[in-house]
Amino acid sequence: DTEVTQTPKHLVMGMTNKKSLKCEQHMGHRAMYWYKQKAKKPPELMFVYSYEKLSINESVPSRFSPECPNSSLLNLHLHALQPEDSALYLCASSQDAGTNTDTQYFGPGTRLTVL
Amino acid sequence: AQSVTQLDSHVSVSEGTPVLLRCNYSSSYSPSLFWYVQHPNKGLQLLLKYTSAATLVKGINGFEAEFKKSETSFHLTKPSAHMSDAAEYFCVVSSMTTDSWGKFQFGAGTQVVVTP
């Protein structure tokens, strides 16, 4: 089973709201990723948790905050977002981020709209 | 350093005709290469991958790709297009770096349109 699940599928929020996106995998993978994808563009990597150690894309604003409660779960906490943050947010997982043969498996995404 | 170039941003084919999506890469190390497909408002689905075994790789849904080191290419083909193949396709290169950051490098994508 190569399934990564994400909730919710759609989210509409105001700029003053606080919300969270959730991601789960039960493949025993030790690396999990958050990507942001704008229309007609490839995904852009935001955060990586590898063996529960966080790596951050320095260009991602602090209004995005990742959390990895355990190796199967990944959250993305959202606070004071801007309309330009509207995008498809993809979660992925892989066996071991330390090898170049590592394959990432993607979830279906959360479509986020910021009003 | 690594990079990937998808040579066509848009490909239009008739149903039942062959599909060719072109991908060139550069990498300082022996790379792994992947093709993913994304249908509208969906996640990315792995079609196939090359990880230094056989250079001709077969994937799902009748797709295959050939790794050509001398040409630094990894083109994706399918003998006969189906309407369900209409989607965005991403070529990805991955090679060893000092940390996990930036290891997966995406191409810009190729939009495939299939006409009846």
Side-chain angles (χ1 to χ4, degrees):
Chain A
D1 183 15
T2 56
E3 187 178 25
V4 176
T5 59
Q6 291 186 242
T7 55
K9 290 186 178 180
H10 302 276
L11 179 62
V12 179
M13 60 186 291
M15 289 189 287
T16 58
N17 292 159
K18 287 185 179 181
K19 296 286 185 182
S20 296
L21 309 184
K22 297 184 184 301
C23 175
E24 189 169 7
Q25 57 88 12
H26 293 289
M27 295 177 277
H29 289 173
R30 299 310 303 269
M32 295 186 76
Y33 310 77
W34 278 116
Y35 287 87
K36 174 184 178 181
Q37 186 181 26
K38 301 287 275 186
K40 305 296 184 184
K41 297 291 186 182
E44 299 173 49
L45 186 59
M46 301 174 72
F47 305 103
V48 180
Y49 274 95
S50 179
Y51 290 87
E52 296 167 35
K53 176 185 174 184
L54 174 63
S55 296
I56 300 173
N57 180 345
E58 297 292 338
S59 69
V60 175
S62 60
R63 54 186 182 266
F64 294 92
S65 174
E67 178 196 15
C68 189
N70 59 57
S71 60
S72 299
L73 293 172
L74 184 66
N75 298 322
L76 185 62
H77 301 299
L78 315 172
H79 174 58
L81 294 194
Q82 303 296 308
E84 60 264 29
D85 297 322
S86 299
L88 182 67
Y89 287 84
L90 294 164
C91 174
S93 73
S94 68
Q95 182 66 39
D96 181 351
T99 68
N100 73 315
T101 58
D102 193 42
T103 301
Q104 292 184 28
Y105 296 94
F106 287 81
T110 293
R111 173 68 62 188
L112 174 66
T113 303
V114 182
L115 301 176
Chain B
Q2 60 184 18
S3 67
V4 59
T5 302
Q6 290 183 241
L7 299 170
D8 306 288
S9 60
H10 187 272
V11 168
S12 183
V13 298
S14 299
E15 188 177 21
T17 64
V19 181
L20 170 64
L21 305 183
R22 298 181 295 166
C23 174
N24 287 113
Y25 71 92
S26 67
S27 175
S28 302
Y29 304 94
S30 296
S32 292
L33 291 152
F34 307 79
W35 276 100
Y36 285 85
V37 62
Q38 186 176 32
H39 289 90
N41 294 310
K42 301 290 186 183
L44 278 70
Q45 181 184 20
L46 178 69
L47 282 177
L48 49 78
K49 64 180 180 180
Y50 165 78
T51 58
S52 78
T55 56
L56 182 61
V57 182
K58 294 189 183 298
I60 62 171
N61 301 336
F63 285 95
E64 65 180 37
E66 186 171 7
F67 174 74
K68 292 187 176 180
K69 186 175 181 179
S70 61
E71 298 177 12
T72 60
S73 69
F74 189 58
H75 301 334
L76 181 71
T77 61
K78 182 173 180 178
S80 176
H82 190 271
M83 295 299 291
S84 61
D85 294 327
E88 187 84 18
Y89 291 77
F90 292 101
C91 182
V92 177
V93 63
S94 174
S95 59
M96 289 303 295
T97 56
T98 54
D99 56 45
S100 62
W101 190 258
K103 186 163 61 68
F104 242 48
Q105 186 72 43
F106 283 83
T110 298
Q111 179 73 45
V112 172
V113 173
V114 183
T115 56

